[in-house]
Amino acid sequence: MEVSLDQWQALVAVVDEGGYAKAAETLGKSQSAISYAIQKMETSLGIRAFQLAGRRASLTPAGELLYRRAQLLLHSAQALEDAASQLSSSWQASIHVAVDVAFPETLLFQ
């Protein structure tokens, strides 16, 4: 895989937080680490996700698509981690059936 989940997370955070500095604060990373993650992602994909307008970065049309797909990817990754967490805590679904003794066994076992 050329792009890591951390890089996708950085992309989403930059958009959601409105900039690199706030994204870095939210993710607990340095601003340079966020910038590097975005730059590496853009280089790997050969696509510019952001365009600079003065000091503000805005999404390119390709960046808009990447952002929407990255949101779905991160949501799916979180759902997978939640499922794994449930499995690791030995939680399993089970069904218990209670039947009155007056119920005919032949019908029950069919």
Side-chain angles (χ1 to χ4, degrees):
M1 182 181 302
E2 290 186 35
V3 180
S4 70
L5 278 178
D6 284 340
Q7 291 168 321
W8 291 120
Q9 188 177 37
L11 172 74
V12 169
V14 169
V15 176
D16 288 350
E17 300 300 327
Y20 287 77
K22 291 224 182 207
E25 186 177 319
T26 299
L27 296 176
K29 298 184 178 190
S30 68
Q31 186 173 341
S32 62
I34 299 299
S35 296
Y36 179 74
I38 299 294
Q39 179 185 14
K40 188 173 177 189
M41 179 193 66
E42 289 177 329
T43 300
S44 294
L45 298 174
I47 294 174
R48 298 285 305 166
F50 292 98
Q51 58 191 5
L52 291 176
R55 291 188 55 149
R56 187 143 177 91
S58 61
L59 287 172
T60 63
E64 285 281 348
L65 176 65
L66 292 176
Y67 169 70
R68 287 192 307 273
R69 296 282 179 99
Q71 286 179 306
L72 294 172
L73 176 66
L74 293 174
H75 178 73
S76 293
Q78 184 61 55
L80 179 60
E81 286 182 11
D82 292 345
S85 178
Q86 287 178 346
L87 290 173
S88 71
S89 66
S90 300
W91 177 87
Q92 295 181 7
S94 63
I95 298 175
H96 298 273
V97 179
V99 179
D100 190 280
V101 293
F103 192 80
E105 284 185 3
T106 55
L107 292 176
L108 176 64
F109 295 124
Q110 287 180 358

